[in-house]
Amino acid sequence: MKNKKIFRIAITGILAALALAFSFFEKLLLSAVPLPMGIKPGLSNIIVMFTCSSLGLIPALGIAAVKAVFSALISGGASGFISLAGGIISVFTMYLLGKLPKEKLSYTGISVLSAVSHNIGQTLAASLIAGSGLFLSYLPVLLISGAVFGLITGTVLNIVFPYLTRLNIFDHKK
């Protein structure tokens, strides 16, 4: 059905724009309330998780790629590569964990594990760029912050997801 495919592309574009808006807002927020290097709330990951759950793996990977391009344009190619590495690993984590029954693992649990996997991917990418494992020593700090912010973003998604699904604009059969 051609209209359904076009609709899914349009919705994915809108969600990508929303994820970029959340990323931009987060940058503004962090300029006012600075956090240590590499630590950020990951507000746009609410959109990525929603997309992965509602539209599937490919649209969520597309949004992760758009976010990486945005990061590269704003902060440079290395930042874009690091964002892409974390995003890809995080989306695959979301997707695979999303296959579990919701009574086994809620969006909050998926969010925490996805945030942690995102930080692992970013740390590995930064180590690859630097040609040194020095960044790995910072991983425990990133894992703790990822778990805390993953808990927050997952809780937000748990709250808003039922309201968004009531809009009946998403095909939950992927």
Side-chain angles (χ1 to χ4, degrees):
M1 189 178 281
K2 189 174 183 178
N3 285 341
K4 185 175 179 180
K5 189 179 238 182
I6 291 169
F7 182 77
R8 286 174 58 85
I9 291 168
I11 289 295
T12 302
I14 291 168
L15 290 169
L18 187 56
L20 291 180
F22 277 27
S23 291
F24 183 72
F25 172 73
E26 190 171 83
K27 278 203 172 289
L28 291 176
L29 182 66
L30 291 178
S31 67
V33 182
L35 293 174
M37 178 186 74
I39 296 175
K40 60 183 191 167
L43 299 175
S44 63
N45 291 327
I46 296 168
I47 304 302
V48 177
M49 274 188 60
F50 177 76
T51 302
C52 193
S53 178
S54 297
L55 298 175
L57 177 65
I58 301 303
L61 285 171
I63 292 176
V66 167
K67 286 175 47 184
V69 169
F70 177 72
S71 182
L73 292 172
I74 299 298
S75 303
S79 177
F81 176 70
I82 291 168
S83 173
L84 184 63
I88 288 172
I89 290 172
S90 177
V91 168
F92 274 106
T93 301
M94 285 174 203
Y95 180 74
L96 293 173
L97 293 174
K99 297 287 185 187
L100 296 173
K102 290 298 170 251
E103 58 273 0
K104 298 278 186 196
L105 191 62
S106 69
Y107 289 119
T108 303
I110 294 170
S111 179
V112 168
L113 294 170
S114 297
V116 165
S117 68
H118 193 277
N119 288 336
I120 291 169
Q122 287 182 315
T123 304
L124 292 174
S127 296
L128 182 67
I129 290 170
S132 166
L134 185 60
F135 285 101
L136 295 175
S137 64
Y138 194 54
L139 188 57
V141 173
L142 293 176
L143 294 179
I144 292 168
S145 68
V148 169
F149 285 121
L151 183 67
I152 294 167
T153 58
T155 300
V156 169
L157 186 58
N158 268 329
I159 293 167
V160 301
F161 195 88
Y163 296 103
L164 293 172
T165 56
R166 283 189 203 152
L167 296 174
N168 258 348
I169 58 173
F170 299 100
D171 176 19
H172 293 282
K173 296 176 181 133
K174 297 177 196 97

